[in-house]
Amino acid sequence: MEPLAPRAMRWLVLALLCFQLGAGVVRIPLRKGKSMRELMRDKGVPEGFLKNLKGDPGRKYQFSNAVTYEALTNYLHSFYFGEISIGTPPQNFLVIFDTGSANLWVPSTYCQDPACVNHNRFNSSMSSTFSSIDVTYTLRYGFGDVAVALGYDTVTIQNIVVRNQEFGLSLDEPSSPFYYLDFDGILGMSYPGVGISGYNTLLQNMMQQNQLEEPIFSFYFSRNPTYEYGGEVVLGGIASQLYTGEILWTPVIQEIYWKIGIEEFSIGQSGTGWCSQGCHGIVDTGTFLLTIPAQFMSEFLQALGAEENDYGYVVDCNSVPSMPTLYFGISGTQLSLPPSIYVLNNDGICTVAVESTYVPSTNGQPLWILGNIFLRQYYSIFDLANNQVGFALSA
Ligand SMILES: *[C@@H]1O[C@H](CO)[C@@H](O)[C@H](O)[C@H]1NC(C)=O
């Protein structure tokens, strides 16, 4: 029995080695881009055109060839994005890590539109690992359609390497808004049900190819974002430095998007009763604003004393500290959203960072989208193994 101890030691050493050589938890820094209004103004778009932008609601989550729409229209929108690469040798792209859609697409050299030429374009003939599929799809956006051809290639995100990943190569992108945007493409992280059917999503392949330390990813959005550092997406786990206190877990109620239940919504001390029959909330890292069920929008704005004008839902900046805190009742806990988070101050113009929900509710229950504004207050954890979402106070 003498060799047992050394063998046990060897196993321990091996186990430690494996742990250190494993993919580990990967932290990808996110940058925060400018708002649509700022981007378009920088590129010389006349103010009159900017005003007209506001009337066009985003149309995320509508289907065309079973593909999701992405809202890119509201001029208050801005985006958080980080770097990935595709192909061998790697070609780099800035993408939104979007829990509200399921497909990956980037601009490609098949596309000669100004919107494509103005961005990093994937050149498939420069990649030795690329293979094409003879399939094209149309991704519908509020401003127009993005046509993509499907292909397979290696996708690399730091030390995560996913082989034979299906992705879209753009064929056609409308100038507005894509020409103006400061990211290249979109990386969908929602359940496959909202994506192009018949292909594995990037997350499915990450799991199948053992590239995630754990089947979990999480997001941190800074309360004071800059272009250099807007937050982080953490793949394969949770980064305890990025939150404080306990994690509140709540089940995913429908494996389409990341949809959770909201039991109650209060404005200050007053319960609204809007969720007395239950509300649903989509946790969406690809939507900037908080969206309010359309039927409650005017009551909500009235309660906050906000007035609609060309800049959005405007409030007096001096009154912001005395505005009510909002509370979302989730899994028996009240998650608060103070005015310092839900009111944006752009050069002395204060706007409530909300819009009405543009996604139709599937079962008549009022639908909210908990976008980046909500997620600046709460570090969010997406647990694929247990189909649950966790929230903890952002650090
Ligand atoms: C794509 O790469 C090929 C091979 O290197 C090159 O000949 C071609 O010009 C590139 N296309 C574009 C649009 O850059």
Side-chain angles (χ1 to χ4, degrees), residues 109-110 112 121 123-126:
T109 52
Y110 299 149
Q112 306 296 332
R121 287 185 299 164
N123 183 340
S124 60
S125 50
M126 284 173 60

Side-chain angles (χ1 to χ4, degrees), residues 41-54:
R41 184 181 284 140
D42 288 355
K43 299 219 164 110
V45 176
E47 190 68 21
F49 184 78
L50 291 172
K51 285 179 181 170
N52 291 335
L53 275 179
K54 197 165 64 75

Side-chain angles (χ1 to χ4, degrees), residues 59-70:
R59 292 191 302 168
K60 194 167 186 170
Y61 316 116
Q62 294 182 35
F63 290 85
S64 159
N65 299 342
V67 170
T68 46
Y69 285 68
E70 176 80 25

Side-chain angles (χ1 to χ4, degrees), residues 15-92:
L16 281 172
L17 261 179
C18 288
F19 181 72
Q20 281 175 3
L21 295 176
V25 174
V26 171
R27 292 170 63 169
I28 302 121
L30 298 174
R31 305 173 192 177
K32 182 187 167 290
K34 293 179 175 180
S35 72
M36 283 294 293
R37 172 180 279 270
E38 292 167 319
L39 286 168
M40 295 181 122
R41 184 181 284 140
D42 288 355
K43 299 219 164 110
V45 176
E47 190 68 21
F49 184 78
L50 291 172
K51 285 179 181 170
N52 291 335
L53 275 179
K54 197 165 64 75
D56 191 352
R59 292 191 302 168
K60 194 167 186 170
Y61 316 116
Q62 294 182 35
F63 290 85
S64 159
N65 299 342
V67 170
T68 46
Y69 285 68
E70 176 80 25
L72 297 175
T73 53
N74 190 301
Y75 74 118
L76 283 175
H77 270 295
S78 58
F79 302 95
Y80 291 83
F81 42 82
E83 194 170 66
I84 66 164
S85 56
I86 304 179
T88 311
Q91 301 177 37
N92 295 343

Side-chain angles (χ1 to χ4, degrees), residues 61-333:
Y61 316 116
Q62 294 182 35
F63 290 85
S64 159
N65 299 342
V67 170
T68 46
Y69 285 68
E70 176 80 25
L72 297 175
T73 53
N74 190 301
Y75 74 118
L76 283 175
H77 270 295
S78 58
F79 302 95
Y80 291 83
F81 42 82
E83 194 170 66
I84 66 164
S85 56
I86 304 179
T88 311
Q91 301 177 37
N92 295 343
F93 301 93
L94 293 172
V95 295
I96 298 180
F97 290 82
D98 178 20
T99 61
S101 66
N103 294 110
L104 168 64
W105 71 270
V106 294
S108 84
T109 52
Y110 299 149
C111 175
Q112 306 296 332
D113 298 335
C116 297
V117 175
N118 196 32
H119 285 92
N120 291 328
R121 287 185 299 164
F122 182 74
N123 183 340
S124 60
S125 50
M126 284 173 60
S127 174
S128 62
T129 42
F130 178 79
S131 58
S132 67
I133 320 169
D134 212 6
V135 178
T136 62
Y137 269 90
T138 303
L139 304 156
R140 287 269 148 93
Y141 293 84
F143 269 14
D145 301 350
V146 177
V148 297
L150 298 190
Y152 286 99
D153 210 333
T154 302
V155 175
T156 308
I157 307 175
Q158 295 190 13
N159 58 343
I160 290 178
V161 179
V162 177
R163 298 184 201 287
N164 294 315
Q165 174 61 46
E166 172 272 324
F167 71 109
L169 294 81
S170 77
L171 301 170
D172 198 15
E173 295 178 29
S175 288
S176 181
F178 295 100
Y179 176 82
Y180 303 99
L181 299 175
D182 41 15
F183 61 89
D184 302 308
I186 295 171
L187 190 166
M189 302 179 87
S190 86
Y191 287 97
V194 294
I196 298 172
S197 58
Y199 303 97
N200 273 1
T201 64
L202 186 65
L203 282 169
Q204 284 177 305
N205 279 335
M206 275 183 193
M207 288 192 288
Q208 280 183 15
Q209 298 178 25
N210 294 317
Q211 292 297 302
L212 287 184
E213 185 79 22
E214 283 182 82
I216 280 186
F217 57 92
S218 50
F219 279 85
Y220 169 77
F221 293 103
S222 167
R223 290 191 184 83
N224 299 299
T226 62
Y227 184 79
E228 280 68 37
Y229 183 81
E232 287 180 50
V233 52
V234 182
L235 297 178
I238 300 170
S240 56
Q241 312 87 308
L242 299 178
Y243 69 92
T244 60
E246 297 285 299
I247 298 169
L248 170 72
W249 291 103
T250 192
V252 170
I253 55 170
Q254 195 182 5
E255 288 171 33
I256 294 184
Y257 318 118
W258 285 88
K259 198 187 271 187
I260 60 168
I262 297 173
E263 297 130 28
E264 199 184 341
F265 177 72
S266 306
I267 302 173
Q269 299 307 309
S270 339
T272 58
W274 298 346
C275 297
S276 56
Q277 307 298 312
C279 283
H280 290 170
I282 293 173
V283 188
D284 186 359
T285 60
T287 285
F288 183 62
L289 302 174
L290 170 70
T291 86
I292 313 270
Q295 62 268 42
F296 304 130
M297 191 64 178
S298 60
E299 208 179 319
F300 175 79
L301 294 171
Q302 207 164 19
L304 297 188
E307 302 266 336
E308 185 173 9
N309 73 14
D310 289 336
Y311 289 95
Y313 304 114
V314 175
V315 292
D316 178 356
C317 290
N318 295 321
S319 73
V320 174
S322 58
M323 285 176 68
T325 292
L326 311 177
Y327 294 92
F328 291 85
I330 294 174
S331 284
T333 298

